[in-house]
């Protein structure tokens, strides 16, 4: 009799445990599994990620509740990037946010099924992520951060009217950087500028690249290159020591000590991408969703950097600035 009672109690306990697991699994299934793949940490990419998550949170998709976020950063390593992308495929992520062109290309290479939202990608068509901007016709959509390269070069002439030679440092293996340099090549002659290009293949080479431009250029221009911007402090050190103005392709570098930019707001770009993610969660297909960009750009000047670099920014340029960092 005792054995019978023990068996009945054991069955009841197992039954209750099974019910508990079923509820737990049901709750996990209800959450949207979001993978975030980012090539490297730097303020612009981090801001885009934060804008994306903030928008979803405002819509009720909070990590740990309706959302399960798996954020992975490759720290600039291509091998790690591939491992992360494959992990998201194996984990059957419902949605992936790919931040920056290398991340987007790797993720798209690993999956043609999972909806992929991209942000901070310069040219999704050239990167072969989508067939065209209006109708991607792939599992990829999102936002582009194509910045006004010509206007940024023109800004150099407005701040340093006598500038003739401009150095550009970039990673030649980043397609987003090559596209911007091609645009700069086309724009420079019209502005009376000659470009001196220096390529790098690792973050450790950035300072040496900057040093190679000393006494050869009147200013340095940095496109939105993930490798170079993640090591912008090295460029700024050389620039300040040698009184060279540094114009960048994005705002965060100006906040961190570069001289100026006419750039986009990456936080807002991330929020726009978040809006697109919500549409996919609600049933829309990335194949039918046009790539979006940011229509407005802001002139941002760092007056402290100007002093350190020995530059006097004309009053008329300061008057046009959306923001002055003093």
């Amino acid at each position: 009799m005792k054995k019978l009672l023990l068996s009945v109690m054991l069955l009841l306990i197992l039954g209750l445990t099974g019910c508990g697991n079923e509820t737990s699994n049901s709750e996990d299934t209800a959450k949207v599994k979001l993978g975030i793949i980012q090539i490297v940490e730097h303020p612009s990419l981090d801001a885009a990620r934060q804008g994306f998550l903030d928008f979803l949170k405002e819509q009720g998709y909070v990590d740990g509740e309706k959302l399960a976020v798996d954020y992975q950063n490759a720290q600039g390593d291509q091998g790690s990037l591939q491992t992360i992308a494959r992990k998201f495929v194996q984990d059957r992520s419902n949605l992936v946010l790919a931040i920056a062109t290398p991340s987007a290309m790797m993720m798209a290479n690993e999956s043609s099924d999972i909806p992929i939202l991209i942000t901070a990608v310069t040219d999704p068509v050239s990167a072969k992520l989508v067939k065209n901007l209006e109708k991607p016709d792939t599992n990829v959509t999102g936002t582009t951060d194509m910045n006004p390269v010509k206007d940024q070069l023109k800004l150099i002439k407005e701040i340093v009217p006598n500038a003739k030679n401009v150095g550009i440092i970039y990673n030649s293996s980043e397609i987003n950087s090559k596209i911007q340099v091609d645009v700069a090549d086309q724009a420079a002659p019209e502005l009376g500028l000659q470009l001196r290009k220096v390529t790098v293949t690792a973050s450790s080479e950035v300072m040496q690249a900057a040093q190679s431009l000393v006494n050869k250029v009147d200013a340095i221009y940095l496109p939105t290159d993930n490798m170079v911007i993640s090591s912008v402090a090295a460029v700024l050190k050389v620039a300040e020591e040698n009184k060279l103005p540094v114009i960048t392709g994005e705002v965060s570098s100006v906040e961190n000590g570069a001289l100026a930019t006419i750039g986009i707001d990456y936080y807002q770009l991330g929020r726009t991408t978040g809006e697109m993610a919500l549409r996919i969660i609600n049933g829309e297909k990335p194949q039918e969703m046009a790539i979006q960009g940011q229509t407005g750009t802001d002139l941002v000047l760092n007056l402290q950097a100007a002093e350190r670099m020995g530059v006097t920014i004309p009053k008329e340029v300061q008057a046009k600035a959306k923001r002055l960092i003093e």
Side-chain angles (χ1 to χ4, degrees):
M1 186 68 180
K2 287 182 180 179
K3 289 182 178 180
L4 179 61
L5 285 171
L6 285 169
S7 297
V8 170
M9 289 175 67
L10 181 60
L11 287 171
L12 286 169
I13 290 168
L14 289 172
L16 288 170
T17 303
C19 289
N21 285 339
E22 185 177 340
T23 303
S24 174
N25 290 337
S26 195
E27 288 174 356
D28 288 342
T29 303
K31 294 177 184 175
V32 175
K33 292 174 67 176
L34 169 66
I36 301 179
I37 179 170
Q38 185 169 324
I39 178 63
V40 71
E41 289 179 355
H42 71 64
S44 291
L45 303 187
D46 296 344
R49 183 182 75 247
Q50 194 59 53
F52 180 89
L53 292 173
D54 284 353
F55 177 84
L56 288 180
K57 183 176 181 180
E58 291 165 12
Q59 304 305 311
Y61 285 86
V62 180
D63 187 19
E65 296 178 16
K66 291 175 68 175
L67 195 66
V69 179
D70 184 0
Y71 166 61
Q72 300 287 333
N73 192 302
Q75 302 298 338
D77 183 75
Q78 286 291 321
S80 298
L81 203 64
Q82 185 176 58
T83 299
I84 294 165
R86 288 180 176 176
K87 176 182 186 297
F88 290 159
V89 174
Q90 291 168 359
D91 291 348
R92 298 180 183 275
S93 298
N94 302 122
L95 192 67
V96 170
L97 172 65
I99 305 175
T101 304
S103 306
M105 292 175 68
M106 186 65 75
M107 192 65 228
N109 187 57
E110 293 297 328
S111 175
S112 58
D113 300 316
I114 299 171
I116 301 170
L117 271 301
I118 61 173
T119 192
V121 172
T122 302
D123 188 342
V125 176
S126 293
K128 298 183 179 179
L129 296 168
V130 300
K131 294 184 179 178
N132 64 68
L133 298 181
E134 291 74 29
K135 187 179 179 182
D137 205 23
T138 67
N139 61 320
V140 178
T141 190
T143 56
T144 171
D145 67 345
M146 186 64 183
N147 63 88
V149 175
K150 183 176 180 179
D151 289 342
Q152 291 164 352
L153 291 179
K154 186 178 178 182
L155 182 60
I156 294 175
K157 292 292 288 187
E158 291 179 358
I159 294 175
V160 189
N162 295 325
K164 293 181 179 179
N165 296 295
V166 174
I168 298 185
I169 304 171
Y170 70 104
N171 175 9
S172 58
S173 66
E174 285 192 30
I175 188 170
N176 49 296
S177 302
K178 290 169 69 177
I179 290 165
Q180 293 172 77
V181 172
D182 287 344
V183 174
D185 272 331
Q186 293 176 5
E190 183 182 332
L191 298 170
L193 294 173
Q194 182 173 343
L195 303 182
R196 292 181 178 269
K197 293 170 281 187
V198 183
T199 60
V200 294
T201 59
S203 298
S204 58
E205 299 172 5
V206 172
M207 178 173 280
Q208 183 178 354
Q211 290 170 335
S212 73
L213 293 170
V214 174
N215 297 323
K216 297 177 183 176
V217 299
D218 305 303
I220 294 174
Y221 171 66
L222 304 179
T224 55
D225 181 290
N226 298 295
M227 180 179 290
V228 175
I229 296 301
S230 66
S231 302
V232 70
V235 179
L236 297 178
K237 184 177 186 299
V238 174
E240 290 172 9
E241 289 173 351
N242 295 278
K243 305 303 180 186
L244 280 172
V246 177
I247 308 296
T248 64
E250 40 78 57
V251 174
S252 68
S253 293
V254 180
E255 294 172 337
N256 288 325
L259 179 63
T261 192
I262 299 174
I264 64 176
D265 185 329
Y266 277 82
Y267 179 81
Q268 290 301 323
L269 196 71
R271 288 183 65 87
T272 299
T273 317
E275 292 175 22
M276 299 178 75
L278 185 63
R279 288 165 57 191
I280 290 175
I281 291 170
N282 290 332
E284 290 192 49
K285 302 296 184 185
Q287 288 85 347
E288 305 294 326
M289 295 170 61
I291 297 291
Q292 298 187 35
Q294 191 169 313
T295 54
T297 54
D298 296 332
L299 170 59
V300 181
L301 304 172
N302 189 325
L303 300 184
Q304 295 178 3
E307 186 176 344
R308 292 193 297 269
M309 295 171 186
V311 177
T312 300
I313 301 176
K315 293 294 182 184
E316 57 269 26
V317 177
Q318 293 189 40
K320 295 188 296 182
K322 177 71 177 289
R323 183 178 164 202
L324 293 174
I325 299 172
E326 300 182 273

